[in-house]
Amino acid sequence: MDLEQLEWGKGSLEKIHERRLRYLREFCQHFELPKSRDRAKGLTLYRDFPVFECRIPKTGTSTRAAIVWPLFHNNSPLWQHLSHSFDPFVPRTNFQNWTVQYSQQYPFGFMFVREPFERAISGFLNKRAVMEKKLNKNFSANEFFQLLIDDRIDDYHFLQAGLHCKHPVPVHSRTESMAADFEFLIDEKTELHRSIKFNSSSELYSNVTLKKTVDEEKKLIYSELSRKMVERFLWAYRWDYLAFGYNPYRVLDRFNS
């Protein structure tokens, strides 16, 4: 059982989000996190709405970019860019500039987080070809995880989500429950529903894979990694597990000692 059940329990999404945020704020007050490196313009500004998203890569950002596409493209239902990072029509900034220039215009923020090990696996599958070309060598899962543990990958995709903790946004949601959480954000926490029509039974939801299954490539990576390497990863990413209430023992259960 993880903290989603132990700490937040059952109840409305409003209550669950309140408990998540309260837990995160209490965590931030009692733990001193490593200093964050501001590697990218990680905030999306929602133009005509007083809303911003703190984008954590590999948490379903491509799916959310498709859902909110009409906001930035004259209500066009056809989307092309998989990421706001590459869309010239999407206003972006970082927390430093938001604090100075945009905090009054865009006071309400949200972000999605994801189980850290699953997020790392997804990042490896996404970036492996690029890294192999850059290093001119094959890149194993163990080598990749060693670089993560040593914090030697200078890529915003692999910045620990918990390092955004000094700027905890009002709502933080989970990739694992993205459909329900995003519907809640659009319909109840913001006015985005005036321009975005989305729910778990919508056509867009059926056409976009929100919950990915573990495929053969992931299973192969699991078979490559040693339990010792996984234990070291869990310790290196302990802030994310603590801040967001994920249970690292669920990951260890997949690996034989």
Side-chain angles (χ1 to χ4, degrees):
M1 184 178 293
D2 64 11
L3 286 174
E4 184 80 13
Q5 296 165 299
L6 287 174
E7 170 65 16
W8 300 320
K10 297 180 180 180
S12 67
L13 280 174
E14 180 75 45
K15 293 296 183 183
I16 290 175
H17 278 80
E18 287 176 1
R19 292 166 191 157
R20 286 176 182 169
L21 182 61
R22 184 170 65 248
Y23 177 83
L24 177 60
R25 284 176 171 165
E26 290 175 357
F27 169 83
C28 292
Q29 290 173 359
H30 292 91
F31 290 87
E32 183 176 351
L33 294 174
K35 291 185 178 179
S36 168
R37 287 174 285 172
D38 198 355
R39 300 173 180 170
K41 292 183 177 180
L43 303 188
T44 292
L45 305 176
Y46 278 67
R47 280 193 172 170
D48 298 329
F49 299 88
V51 177
F52 69 89
E53 177 179 0
C54 174
R55 297 191 321 277
I56 307 298
K58 310 312 298 179
T59 62
T61 52
S62 298
T63 297
R64 293 193 297 280
I67 293 168
V68 302
W69 174 268
L71 285 178
F72 306 103
H73 300 88
N74 297 319
N75 294 317
S76 169
L78 303 176
W79 59 277
Q80 302 170 23
H81 298 281
L82 291 177
S83 172
H84 285 159
S85 300
F86 302 105
D87 190 337
F89 296 98
V90 176
R92 294 172 291 121
T93 189
N94 55 34
F95 266 118
Q96 182 177 356
N97 290 338
W98 174 83
T99 302
V100 175
Q101 300 180 38
Y102 301 110
S103 59
Q104 297 298 314
Q105 185 179 357
Y106 300 97
F108 179 85
F110 68 91
M111 70 178 180
F112 277 77
V113 296
R114 184 178 183 181
E115 199 285 324
F117 182 76
E118 285 296 317
R119 180 170 170 253
I121 292 290
S122 179
F124 175 62
L125 292 174
N126 181 248
K127 293 290 185 178
R128 176 169 51 184
V130 175
M131 297 175 72
E132 287 181 343
K133 184 176 180 180
K134 182 178 179 180
L135 298 173
N136 195 28
K137 57 172 285 190
N138 292 332
F139 209 60
S140 72
N142 276 294
E143 289 174 307
F144 170 76
F145 271 81
Q146 186 61 59
L147 291 177
L148 283 183
I149 291 166
D150 295 339
D151 194 24
R152 288 166 52 201
I153 300 182
D154 191 25
D155 188 313
Y156 181 64
H157 275 74
F158 307 111
L159 179 65
Q160 294 188 45
L163 296 183
H164 293 284
C165 191
K166 30 175 148 171
H167 309 283
V169 295
V171 173
H172 84 269
S173 303
R174 287 187 166 196
T175 302
E176 293 82 5
S177 56
M178 183 159 65
D181 281 353
F182 206 40
E183 182 180 352
F184 169 72
L185 282 165
I186 291 172
D187 291 342
E188 299 187 38
K189 298 299 291 183
T190 70
E191 296 292 319
L192 291 173
H193 55 269
R194 291 194 286 126
S195 296
I196 302 171
K197 303 302 179 186
F198 171 76
N199 58 62
S200 59
S201 61
S202 68
E203 181 181 352
L204 181 60
Y205 177 73
S206 64
N207 288 336
V208 178
T209 303
L210 290 177
K211 192 171 184 180
K212 297 182 176 65
T213 57
V214 177
D215 56 20
E216 293 303 317
E217 199 167 8
K218 281 189 177 182
K219 291 179 181 178
L220 181 61
I221 292 174
Y222 295 156
S223 68
E224 291 178 6
L225 289 170
S226 67
R227 182 184 174 93
K228 189 67 176 177
M229 181 66 73
V230 173
E231 288 174 347
R232 294 177 62 202
F233 168 83
L234 296 177
W235 177 251
Y237 276 68
R238 62 194 180 278
W239 303 118
D240 278 7
Y241 281 96
L242 288 169
F244 302 117
Y246 285 104
N247 186 346
Y249 291 101
R250 290 187 176 178
V251 178
L252 287 177
D253 286 344
R254 302 176 190 170
F255 296 88
N256 295 322
S257 55

